[in-house]
Amino acid sequence: MRAHVCYLVTHQHIPIARVAEHLKETYGTTISPGTIVAMVNEGSNMLAEFLADTTAKLGGSPVVCADETGLRVAGSLHWVHSASTGWFTLYHLDTKRGVEAMGNAGILDLLTGVLVHDGWTPYRHYTELEHQLCNAHHLRSFRPPPKPVSSRGPPTWPACSPTPGKPCSLRWPPGTPLSPPPRSRPSTPTTTRSSPPDTTRTPNRRRPGTRGRPKRSKSANLLLRLDTFRADVLRFTTNFDIPFDNNLAERDIRMVKVHQKISGGFRTREGATAFLNLRSYLSTARKHRISALTALDHLYTGTTWAPALPAAGP
């Protein structure tokens, strides 16, 4: 029963109140939401050895993909940091997003290989590592922007002939050509100046070297980035263990956003941490082709499943 409850909450992302309703209608068992929370926390507490072992194996991996995303916890914004390979997944919850939070996760400090990420600046703090930028982000930047509305032609509207007592309808018979609504030119009010203009004010003009410096275009920024970090963009071409993009980490961390959309945020940090610990366990088990319910059954019967394969890149 505990494995089944934890499966519904952490793997299927069903809200706790609906899990209690499901158990009552399906099995005739009345379990309070507080008991369900206690079951999930119990499973998380039994994962201490698994989490420590996964952290060590991720730190010794030649290639690690990293990502981060926001999560609502106790009414405020927290940050979930993930580290992934083709065999392991680990999540860390923190109140911050930058280098300090990455250090608290305890993975990147152990890493000696290649770090794959989306180019966020705090990842550059780890200067002793080799970096691979996500090229999926670059491909999306190459796509041309959509045409502005003004270039698609002038808007056309049907002639509106309201019926007395009824609202105006924008329906028109098929085949009737559309014509733009008439525009009225606003009248310019005439004012009389009783005093000469104030010529002591400095005009707001852009001057070189001031705040009015024009910004570079997105195309120029992309070109500068590709040129500056050329080695980090093309590293996957010389080491075939390095992926082309960071989609592995993005797929792993997407489950956090899925849970937030379905069940909402977390009321306590303890509950959020328990969920992330169990998601680390289930995601790692799935990468080893172990079903979630089987892994949870091993957990709650005292024989926690542990991966037998060595650490590997994505």
Side-chain angles (χ1 to χ4, degrees):
M1 177 62 71
R2 290 180 296 170
H4 182 63
V5 167
C6 191
Y7 171 83
L8 295 176
V9 174
T10 61
H11 186 68
Q12 297 297 341
H13 309 287
I14 301 178
I16 293 177
R18 293 177 59 185
V19 172
E21 182 181 354
H22 163 75
L23 296 175
K24 182 177 181 180
E25 295 182 355
T26 305
Y27 302 104
T29 303
T30 301
I31 299 180
S32 66
T35 303
I36 295 176
V37 172
M39 290 179 177
V40 175
N41 292 337
E42 179 187 4
S44 172
N45 294 333
M46 291 187 291
L47 289 175
E49 184 177 352
F50 170 84
L51 296 175
D53 182 62
T54 302
T55 301
K57 289 181 177 179
L58 279 171
S61 300
V63 181
V64 172
C65 299
D67 201 2
E68 74 289 329
T69 188
L71 181 66
R72 299 293 299 181
V73 179
S76 62
L77 180 62
H78 286 58
W79 295 96
V80 177
H81 298 260
S82 71
S84 306
T85 67
W87 299 109
F88 303 101
T89 305
L90 192 66
Y91 301 98
H92 169 71
L93 180 68
D94 207 287
T95 56
K96 298 182 180 180
R97 188 187 180 190
V99 177
E100 182 180 350
M102 296 177 184
N104 294 335
I107 299 175
L108 301 187
D109 291 332
L110 302 176
L111 187 63
T112 58
V114 180
L115 179 62
V116 185
H117 54 87
D118 55 6
W120 191 44
T121 304
Y123 288 116
R124 293 288 174 184
H125 171 75
Y126 298 92
T127 56
E128 69 281 1
L129 300 178
E130 292 184 335
H131 297 260
Q132 169 64 51
L133 298 181
C134 177
N135 284 301
H137 286 72
H138 299 152
L139 292 180
R140 286 194 292 266
S141 301
F142 279 122
R143 296 175 184 173
K147 295 182 179 180
V149 177
S150 58
S151 64
R152 302 175 189 173
T156 55
W157 302 92
C160 181
S161 301
T163 305
K166 294 183 179 181
C168 177
S169 175
L170 294 181
R171 299 177 182 176
W172 60 90
T176 304
L178 305 181
S179 58
R183 296 183 179 180
S184 59
R185 179 175 298 178
S187 59
T188 304
T190 58
T191 58
T192 58
R193 184 174 295 171
S194 58
S195 59
D198 184 7
T199 58
T200 60
R201 298 179 59 184
T202 304
N204 185 14
R205 299 177 181 175
R206 291 187 176 182
R207 286 178 277 179
T210 61
R211 298 180 181 178
R213 180 182 302 171
K215 295 183 179 179
R216 287 192 298 263
S217 65
K218 293 183 178 179
S219 301
N221 286 330
L222 176 62
L223 181 61
L224 180 62
R225 179 180 183 180
L226 295 177
D227 188 36
T228 304
F229 303 107
R230 181 177 305 182
D232 297 343
V233 173
L234 301 175
R235 197 176 303 279
F236 73 97
T237 61
T238 57
N239 185 350
F240 295 155
D241 291 333
I242 302 175
F244 173 79
D245 49 39
N246 196 33
N247 287 350
L248 174 64
E250 293 183 357
R251 286 194 301 266
D252 287 340
I253 209 167
R254 187 179 298 129
M255 292 297 100
V256 177
K257 307 303 290 186
V258 169
H259 185 87
Q260 183 171 251
K261 290 180 179 179
I262 297 176
S263 301
F266 293 88
R267 295 184 178 181
T268 63
R269 185 168 181 175
E270 179 185 5
T273 302
F275 169 79
L276 294 176
N277 290 343
L278 287 165
R279 282 302 313 176
S280 301
Y281 179 65
L282 295 178
S283 178
T284 302
R286 184 176 184 178
K287 291 179 178 179
H288 288 79
R289 298 184 178 181
I290 304 296
S291 68
L293 195 55
T294 301
L296 291 172
D297 187 49
H298 281 290
L299 175 64
Y300 283 99
T301 54
T303 56
T304 304
W305 171 85
L309 293 177

